[in-house]
Amino acid sequence: MSRRFDVTQSDIRDLVLDECARVSEAGSLLVIPTDTVYGIAADAFSASAVSALLAAKGRGRDMPPPVLVPRAETVFGLVDGVDETILALTSRFWPGPLTIIANAQPSLDWDLGDTHGTVAVRMPDDEYALALLGRTGPLAVSSANVSGQPAATSADAAMEMLGDDVDIYIDGGVRSSGVSSTIVDLTADVPRIVREGPVSTEDLREIVPDIIDLDG
């Protein structure tokens, strides 16, 4: 049976996060608050946990989950060939609602699905998510919803959709924006916006002038 904890209660927060880290390390799933929407999270280095995440959402390996990181410097361990563009974007927009698709380090021992050698990575601007990530390291995290349904903005909404497929639900209050992160793909010759979100095309072009938007 799933468990639910209110992480806004400061007197139990450390105990809750420690238990969540233990559960994640054991290969079970969590639902966590982020700065955008709630996410369903799994140990990024556990192939079985990532597979369970995709199954809970009703997705196949052709839709691999992004990876959330606790600090911007973690990008050096996950991304192959970190360049000035990536550093400029992370410096400007992390922590925050920008997901960057880049080439993954080929030595990484993980299986996120059919990534074709890439990884989508983000550092969220949420104290609870960052506190958990500081304990777990990188987590594979996708929006907490069944595929085709709106992303959950509360623990209640996530529980209604995902039920007992998730071991622990972390309740951090309602996420008011309900808007998933902007996604940019830096793996092609010309950078492009894959999904529009809180970080606008105009903001991105201040850093990457030649980026192509969804209509480009």
Side-chain angles (χ1 to χ4, degrees), residues 48-104:
S48 60
V50 173
S51 179
L53 183 159
L54 293 174
K57 284 181 62 74
R59 284 186 172 178
R61 288 175 53 83
D62 59 323
M63 300 184 72
V67 175
L68 296 190
V69 297
R71 59 190 64 86
E73 293 81 3
T74 309
V75 74
F76 287 99
L78 303 183
V79 169
D80 185 28
V82 175
D83 58 16
E84 292 183 359
T85 299
I86 291 175
L87 292 177
L89 287 171
T90 57
S91 177
R92 171 74 180 275
F93 298 112
W94 283 8
L98 178 68
T99 299
I100 295 170
I101 300 175
N103 292 314

Side-chain angles (χ1 to χ4, degrees), residues 20-138:
C20 288
R22 185 196 66 77
V23 164
S24 174
E25 185 177 3
S28 294
L29 302 181
L30 310 170
V31 159
I32 67 173
T34 78
D35 51 335
T36 54
V37 295
Y38 273 73
I40 180 172
D43 181 351
F45 294 94
S46 169
S48 60
V50 173
S51 179
L53 183 159
L54 293 174
K57 284 181 62 74
R59 284 186 172 178
R61 288 175 53 83
D62 59 323
M63 300 184 72
V67 175
L68 296 190
V69 297
R71 59 190 64 86
E73 293 81 3
T74 309
V75 74
F76 287 99
L78 303 183
V79 169
D80 185 28
V82 175
D83 58 16
E84 292 183 359
T85 299
I86 291 175
L87 292 177
L89 287 171
T90 57
S91 177
R92 171 74 180 275
F93 298 112
W94 283 8
L98 178 68
T99 299
I100 295 170
I101 300 175
N103 292 314
Q105 287 280 6
S107 61
L108 287 171
D109 184 19
W110 64 7
D111 182 5
L112 298 173
D114 297 332
T115 65
H116 306 289
T118 67
V119 61
V121 62
R122 183 169 87 87
M123 178 185 177
D125 188 13
D126 181 273
E127 64 172 313
Y128 309 132
L130 290 174
L132 176 63
L133 289 161
R135 289 164 165 82
T136 63

